[in-house]
Amino acid sequence: MRNDINIPIVLPVSKVEQPIGEFYVGRVDARTLTKISYTEIRAFVDGKQDKIAGIQRERSKKRIDEIKKYVNLDYATFPTSVIIAVAPECSRLVNFDPDMTPEQASAVFEEGDEQEIDDESKVFNLLLNSYGKKGGDDYIPAEKIAFIIDGQHRVAGLEGLDDDKEFDVNISVFVGASEADKAEIFARVNQAQTKVNQSLVVDLASYYEERGPVKFAHEVVLAMNQDEDGPLRDKVKRLGKADPGKGQIQTLAQATVVKPIVDYITADPEAERNKRYKGIFGSRRKPGEWRNYIFQPFYDEQDDGGMFLCLTNYFNAVKGRWPQVWDDAPAGTVLNRTTGYAALMKFMRPVYLHYCNEPGQILTRSDCEKVFAQIFIDAEDFNREEYLPGSSGAGKLYRQMMGYMGWKP
């Protein structure tokens, strides 16, 4: 990412007035924003609890790394504002001039006089600059012009923007915000946020024009959920919510069903989707890569029917081995709930590779039935006491099934 900072910065902005005070809304290119902004994590000062400073939460490296990859995708977007605060010393508000140059802006700071502002105007130029002389107590360098109130992960992620990418960021700028105001804004923006329902995220893939891994898997799952004679008939909670009166039948959240299928297509679904977004359908794969991603060949060939058959044959064999607990899903059982489904999907790859020697080969029901005939677990043992909800219970069930087959987990 380019490292130059050209100051002063001239930002066309609109004024917004709210009870907390006025602020300005505008846009800035991502590279400029990353170079003039900073944040302060809320933590103990000198390791002592009696003094705490900063307002931001701890930064998540994982989240930043994800954003760094995301911003370089061809459909990347951050439509919500990054909120920053700037010191009055670093800013000047002047009447809008679309042709104002950095040299003219610099003259405004050097003159030091406040310009008369047209109160009837809706648009202004907000000028941002460093303040003072290096080494001075009041010195504010260019890289500390903008304090990030909200959006630290997005800004950090934008540092990974490729040199050939352009990315504008819309910003809300508070001039002279007090520490109390910064804390109030951060708290109000974040305290009411609710984690997005992942089943909703999956379902929204229906609207994507390009058929990436999530949309591909999602459409197959919907087909299985609607298949009159299929093993997953009416078992998937679309949007993660069961239909009225079907709480015991619809036992699997949409995202729970789709994610393991996507994991068998690729380790990077966003990158794969981005290829389709750009119209790239032919992908070079490493020899034998399909053994890790058994559904990748079906995705590459857009063979949703083949993947549908593999999954249907596999789960029909499960249903045939334990029909009552699969169909009726008695309270307390785990086989066709999250724990059992996770274990069964993990077990599917070794089953597939045991019988399928070529990429894109259909896994047959009879082969799956041979496997489950050797799994000597009684239906009544599929309970929460035996297999605790979550990854531990799923892992235990998977290891047991592998053990019955004499396969190494």
Side-chain angles (χ1 to χ4, degrees):
M1 189 169 182
R2 297 191 293 270
N3 293 316
D4 51 308
I5 309 176
N6 296 317
I7 55 174
I9 298 160
V10 181
L11 299 177
V13 295
S14 296
K15 183 190 290 187
V16 178
E17 295 191 21
Q18 294 182 357
I20 197 172
E22 62 186 32
F23 59 95
Y24 304 94
V25 176
R27 70 165 180 85
V28 63
D29 73 89
R31 292 180 178 84
T32 298
L33 180 60
T34 60
K35 297 306 176 185
I36 67 169
S37 61
Y38 72 104
T39 190
E40 292 178 352
I41 307 301
R42 188 158 183 78
F44 301 134
V45 176
D46 298 326
K48 298 179 180 179
Q49 295 188 24
D50 58 351
K51 190 174 182 181
I52 301 175
I55 67 168
Q56 280 282 6
R57 70 192 86 182
E58 291 284 345
R59 299 212 314 182
S60 166
K61 183 179 183 303
K62 178 181 177 183
R63 187 175 174 193
I64 291 171
D65 288 343
E66 289 173 348
I67 294 174
K68 284 183 177 181
K69 292 173 64 178
Y70 174 75
V71 296
N72 289 298
L73 299 176
D74 289 82
Y75 51 83
T77 180
F78 290 144
T80 55
S81 289
V82 169
I83 306 174
I84 61 175
V86 299
E89 296 89 341
C90 293
S91 67
R92 296 288 186 275
L93 188 70
V94 298
N95 292 318
F96 177 65
D97 178 358
D99 300 317
M100 176 173 274
T101 65
E103 290 74 21
Q104 291 172 318
S106 183
V108 173
F109 281 97
E110 290 173 1
E111 291 168 3
D113 296 329
E114 293 289 336
Q115 293 194 359
E116 186 175 341
I117 300 296
D118 180 3
D119 292 333
E120 299 299 319
S121 179
K122 301 295 183 182
V123 182
F124 307 89
N125 281 354
L126 182 64
L127 316 181
L128 303 180
N129 199 7
S130 58
Y131 177 76
K133 295 183 178 180
K134 192 173 182 179
D137 292 339
D138 57 354
Y139 177 57
I140 302 175
E143 60 269 22
K144 286 205 169 183
I145 290 174
F147 174 84
I148 302 174
I149 298 176
D150 187 70
Q152 62 163 336
H153 288 96
R154 281 170 285 166
V155 175
L158 284 164
E159 292 177 2
L161 194 65
D162 290 343
D163 285 345
D164 62 343
K165 295 281 187 180
E166 297 298 330
F167 204 123
D168 284 339
V169 181
N170 48 311
I171 54 173
S172 295
V173 186
F174 286 82
V175 177
S178 68
E179 293 303 308
D181 286 341
K182 294 176 188 176
E184 172 70 21
I185 296 163
F186 176 82
R188 295 305 166 188
V189 167
N190 289 280
Q191 76 170 5
Q193 288 186 0
T194 303
K195 189 175 181 180
V196 177
N197 180 340
Q198 289 303 301
S199 288
L200 171 60
V201 174
V202 168
D203 203 72
L204 289 174
S206 300
Y207 293 108
Y208 300 163
E209 292 185 9
E210 66 286 346
R211 204 171 183 219
V214 175
K215 182 173 183 177
F216 186 79
H218 166 62
E219 290 177 345
V220 169
V221 168
L222 290 186
M224 294 181 70
N225 196 45
Q226 295 164 5
D227 182 15
E228 290 287 349
D229 301 317
L232 289 185
R233 169 64 179 172
D234 209 22
K235 294 206 181 307
V236 180
K237 294 183 286 187
R238 196 160 184 184
L239 304 184
K241 300 177 181 179
D243 290 336
K246 292 187 176 181
Q248 188 169 320
I249 300 171
Q250 295 179 336
T251 55
L252 293 166
Q254 191 173 1
T256 298
V257 180
V258 170
K259 186 180 184 305
I261 300 174
V262 173
D263 290 342
Y264 278 148
I265 295 174
T266 177
D268 195 342
E270 290 288 3
E272 291 292 336
R273 179 191 166 197
N274 196 52
K275 291 177 185 176
R276 295 290 167 88
Y277 186 87
K278 296 165 71 173
I280 300 173
F281 285 83
S283 298
R284 292 183 179 181
R285 305 292 188 187
K286 295 179 181 178
E289 186 175 354
W290 69 273
R291 294 184 176 276
N292 289 324
Y293 304 102
I294 57 175
F295 290 150
Q296 193 174 77
F298 298 97
Y299 171 75
D300 286 345
E301 297 298 324
Q302 288 291 284
D303 184 10
D304 46 7
M307 193 169 82
F308 175 92
L309 281 175
C310 288
L311 288 162
T312 297
N313 289 339
Y314 181 77
F315 283 104
N316 263 329
V318 174
K319 175 180 177 179
R321 176 65 178 84
W322 299 284
Q324 185 174 0
V325 72
W326 181 262
D327 283 334
D328 298 340
T333 59
V334 301
L335 187 63
N336 67 359
R337 291 181 167 86
T338 302
T339 301
Y341 180 81
L344 288 167
M345 284 302 295
K346 190 173 182 180
F347 187 55
M348 186 175 187
R349 188 173 78 90
V351 172
Y352 185 89
L353 295 177
H354 187 72
Y355 289 105
C356 300
N357 301 313
E358 298 292 335
Q361 190 173 338
I362 302 298
L363 180 64
T364 68
R365 178 172 177 174
S366 61
D367 285 338
C368 294
E369 287 173 342
K370 293 174 188 175
V371 170
F372 289 111
Q374 301 178 64
I375 309 298
F376 298 110
I377 302 176
D378 293 332
E380 58 268 22
D381 291 331
F382 289 111
N383 58 69
R384 294 178 181 175
E385 289 72 31
E386 186 68 26
Y387 304 103
L388 297 174
S391 59
S392 62
K396 178 181 178 181
L397 178 54
Y398 165 73
R399 290 189 297 272
Q400 285 185 346
M401 291 190 292
M402 293 290 284
Y404 277 116
M405 295 303 298
W407 300 337
K408 291 184 178 180

